[in-house]
Structure formats: structure tokens, C-alpha cells
């Protein structure tokens, strides 16, 4: 059962559920918190015992905070005792995409005690990726075109994960150069179709080891890379493009959905999705 707070449900998540082996996807759009009890009761009272694992809930939608509130309400107020089914939250693909990006980077270089810059990190993917990198003992800088947006994204990370990420405003080339100074990892997670980092600003940087980008729509977030780059070496840096990251994202997404049907009490949020991604074979 797909529960989406947007009126138009995420079709990507429906296709992926079928690819993951679901027999039937029941999609509900425009779902509000007040609707959850009735919808979830339908899933937990129609089956018993072992049969409960034949149903699962997937929370989609574009707002991470709304999806998180839905997950919390279902797990803490609606499920009770053994009356529960497995549930996963992946609003706007943020959990699976951020996990895949960070896993790709982690497989390429040592993360500990490095400095990362998350360019345009104020969106769902950026906030999750910044938190995952900070958990890996990275010093993380999260940038935005506006300092107050970067600050509120960092506060959201502190509130949710108790991790410190440094906000930074990028207003042009000089602040961008400042952000890159002494940086080892650059992850661009800006809106589709906008270049955030031109090629000439990273190719000769002496400290940068990895550049990665999740934007699959040209112009890509980082100039001078291809979306299919998947650990390619360009200008002595390891490079990941959106489709290179997307291969692992899609495999992880499918794997998570498939796991939901192995038991009836699994909860897959960012931490569990990242852990599961780390256990996947190299993709
Ligand atoms: P988002 O919320 O749409 O955008 C992220 C940030 O981009 C915004 O918060 C904004 O930051 C900045 N931005 C918006 N318009 C901009 C502009 N004109 N110029 C410069 N910056 C701009 O992104 P998201 O949902 O987190 O997704 C991040 C990226 O990952 C997107 O490109 C998305 O398409 C992609 N994606 C890829 C996959 C995959 O498998 N590869 C899966 C899901 C998503 P400020 O306003 O704070 O500057």
C-alpha cells in the first residue's frame, strides 16, 4: 500500500514496487495524517500471524518532514503489539538516493576525517546525504544560495540525527572557491538541470579526491562529468554521475521493497536503508 501526501502519487515508486516483486500496488494520493488510521487498519486487521507479511506500506511524496510524520504516527500510534506490517519511507527517493551516493563515495575513498561539501544540500537528498556523511566522521559543509536555508537544513539534521553540519552560503565564484578550499569530497545535489560547479573550478583543486552529482538532467550539477560516470577517473579525481549513482539507488530501492515481504515488522527509514545498501554486492 503506497501512501503519498501529494495528490499525484509517485509513479516511479509504483514501477519500482512491481519490479521488486509486489503482486499488487494499492496507491493512495493526497493522504493526510487524519486519514492514516483507517488506511492502516485496513492493512493490519485483514490478515493474521504469518500472513501479515504479505502486505507492506511504502510512504512516498515530495515532503520529507510530512513523510517522517506519517511514518512516526503509523509506527508509534497506529501499529500495536503484533498488529503491524513492514513499512518503508522514501520521500522523493531521498533515502535511497542519498544512501546510494554516499555508499558509492565510501567505496571509492576513505571517509573518516575528510571534509565534504554538499552543494545545494537543502533539498531532501542533500539533507539525508549530509547526515550520512557526518555519521561517517566527515566534516560536512552544506551549501545553499541563502544562508538561512542552509542553517535550517543543518538544524533539521541536528534535530533528527543529533549531528553537526556546517551551513554555508554560496553567492558566486568566490564563495564557491572558498567552500572547495581544503575539501576532499564534493557532492552536488541541486535541482535537476542546473550546473552548480563548473569544470574549471574542480579539475585543478589539489585536495579534491571525489566529485559526485545526482542531477541527471543536463546541464548536470557538475561540469565536465558524464551522467554515466561510475567511478571514472577524470583529472585524477574519481567521478560519479547521476546514472552511475542511480544504478545502485534503483537496486537498493528494489531490494528494500522486496525485504518488506520477508517479515511483518520491518521499519526501513534512512538508517536501515543505508545499512542495507552497504550490505549489497558491488553495483
Ligand atoms: P531539490 O529539492 O529539487 O533541489 C535541491 C536544491 O537545489 C534546492 O533546495 C535549492 O537549494 C537548489 N536549487 C533549486 N533551484 C536552483 C537553481 N535554479 N540554481 C541553483 N540551485 C537551485 O532536489 P532533491 O529532491 O533533493 O534532489 C536532488 C537532485 O537529485 C535532483 O537533481 C534530483 O533530480 C536528483 N535525484 C536523482 C536521483 C538518482 O537516482 N540519480 C534520484 C532522486 C533525485 P537552495 O535554494 O538552498 O540554493
Amino acid at each position: 500500500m503506497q501512501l503519498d501526501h501529494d495528490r499525484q502519487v509517485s509513479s516511479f515508486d509504483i514501477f519500482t514496487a512491481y519490479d521488486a516483486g509486489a503482486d499488487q500496488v494499492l496507491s493512495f494520493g493526497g493522504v493526510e495524517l487524519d486519514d492514516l488510521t483507517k488506511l492502516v487498519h485496513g492493512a493490519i486487521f485483514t490478515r493474521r500471524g504469518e500472513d501479515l507479511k504479505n502486505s507492506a506500506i511504502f510512504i512516498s511524496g515530495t515532503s520529507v518532514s510530512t513523510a517522517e510524520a506519517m511514518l512516526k504516527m503509523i509506527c508509534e500510534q497506529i501499529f500495536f503489539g503484533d498488529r503491524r506490517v513492514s513499512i518503508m519511507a522514501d520521500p522523493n527517493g531521498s533515502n535511497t538516493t542519498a544512501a546510494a551516493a554516499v555508499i558509492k563515495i565510501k567505496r571509492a575513498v576513505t571517509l573518516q576525517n575528510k571534509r565534504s561539501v554538499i552543494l545545494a544540500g537543502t533539498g531532501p537528498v542533500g539533507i539525508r546525504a549530509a547526515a550520512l556523511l557526518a555519521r561517517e566522521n566527515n566534516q560536512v559543509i552544506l551549501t545553499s544560495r541563502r544562508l538561512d536555508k542552509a542553517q535550517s537544513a543543518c538544524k533539521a539534521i541536528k534535530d533528527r540525527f543529533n549531528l553537526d553540519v556546517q551551513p554555508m552560503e554560496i553567492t558566486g565564484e568566490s564563495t564557491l572557491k572558498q567552500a572547495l578550499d581544503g575539501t576532499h569530497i564534493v557532492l552536488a545535489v541541486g535541482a535537476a538541470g542546473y550546473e552548480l560547479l563548473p569544470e574549471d573550478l574542480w579539475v585543478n583543486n589539489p585536495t579534491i579526491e571525489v566529485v559526485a552529482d545526482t542531477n541527471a538532467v543536463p546541464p548536470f550539477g557538475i561540469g565536465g562529468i558524464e551522467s554515466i560516470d561510475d567511478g571514472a577517473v577524470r583529472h585524477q579525481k574519481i567521478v560519479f554521475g547521476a546514472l552511475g549513482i542511480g544504478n545502485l539507488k534503483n537496486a537498493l530501492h528494489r531490494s528494500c521493497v522486496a525485504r518488506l515481504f520477508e517479515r511483518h515488522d520491518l521499519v526501513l527509514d534512512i538508517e536501515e536503508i543505508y545499512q542495507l545498501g552497504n550490505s549489497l554486492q558491488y553495483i
Side-chain angles (χ1 to χ4, degrees):
M1 179 165 69
Q2 177 188 23
L3 303 179
D4 197 315
H5 50 269
D6 294 332
R7 183 183 60 79
Q8 187 74 266
V9 301
S10 161
S11 57
F12 181 97
D13 295 327
I14 300 175
F15 285 117
T16 306
Y18 282 115
D19 285 349
D23 296 319
Q24 187 69 248
V25 181
L26 308 174
S27 296
F28 296 88
V31 173
E32 298 187 4
L33 291 179
D34 285 348
D35 302 321
L36 289 175
T37 302
K38 196 171 172 194
L39 286 164
V40 174
H41 279 178
I44 62 177
F45 286 126
T46 43
R47 291 173 174 165
R48 292 170 58 179
E50 268 292 290
D51 288 343
L52 276 167
K53 75 176 190 319
N54 293 318
S55 307
I57 297 173
F58 185 95
I59 299 175
S60 56
T62 48
S63 161
V64 172
S65 57
T66 307
E68 284 273 300
M70 289 167 76
L71 180 67
K72 191 171 160 60
M73 184 172 169
I74 292 171
C75 290
E76 294 179 9
Q77 294 176 38
I78 303 178
F79 287 166
F80 62 95
D82 224 24
R83 287 277 151 206
R84 57 188 66 239
V85 295
S86 288
I87 183 164
M88 171 174 175
D90 196 20
N92 232 17
S94 58
N95 289 336
T96 47
T97 307
V102 173
I103 290 166
K104 286 278 178 185
I105 294 168
K106 185 177 163 181
R107 286 173 180 173
V109 290
T110 319
L111 288 183
Q112 285 213 334
N113 304 318
K114 298 272 176 71
R115 178 181 145 117
S116 298
V117 169
I118 315 291
L119 293 174
T122 49
V125 177
I127 289 175
R128 293 311 210 208
L132 291 177
L133 282 166
R135 258 173 53 130
E136 296 281 0
N137 285 333
N138 241 240
Q139 182 201 347
V140 182
I141 319 284
L142 184 155
T143 80
S144 165
R145 292 167 296 174
R146 277 186 17 216
L147 184 61
D148 63 320
K149 273 190 82 178
Q151 285 169 330
S152 68
C154 292
K155 183 177 180 308
I157 292 169
K158 185 71 180 172
D159 291 347
R160 167 70 173 78
F161 301 97
N162 196 26
L163 290 165
D164 292 310
V165 170
Q166 195 183 319
M168 187 167 179
E169 184 178 69
I170 304 271
T171 48
E173 193 173 307
S174 75
T175 42
L176 183 53
K177 279 183 176 161
Q178 223 176 305
L180 299 181
D181 191 27
T183 287
H184 307 99
I185 294 155
V186 181
L187 173 60
V189 284
Y194 296 102
E195 185 179 274
L196 303 170
L197 176 60
E199 183 173 11
D200 60 313
L201 289 192
W202 63 268
V203 292
N204 293 317
N205 181 297
T207 54
I208 291 176
E209 298 171 16
V210 179
V211 294
D213 179 24
T214 61
N215 162 22
V217 180
F220 304 132
I222 298 179
I225 73 172
E226 297 292 335
S227 62
I228 53 165
D229 281 342
D230 192 2
V233 177
R234 295 183 186 273
H235 311 291
Q236 287 89 49
K237 323 284 187 207
I238 302 169
V239 175
F240 295 98
L243 300 182
I245 292 168
N247 287 339
L248 177 58
K249 179 254 174 324
N250 291 342
L252 175 57
H253 188 151
R254 284 193 298 270
S255 176
C256 287
V257 172
R259 300 270 174 121
L260 296 176
F261 299 100
E262 291 175 359
R263 45 193 270 197
H264 78 288
D265 57 358
L266 198 61
V267 179
L268 297 182
D269 199 355
I270 181 63
E271 292 90 344
E272 298 81 13
I273 291 168
Y274 183 59
Q275 193 180 2
L276 210 155
N278 276 304
S279 71
L280 285 184
Q281 294 284 330
Y282 270 54
I283 292 168

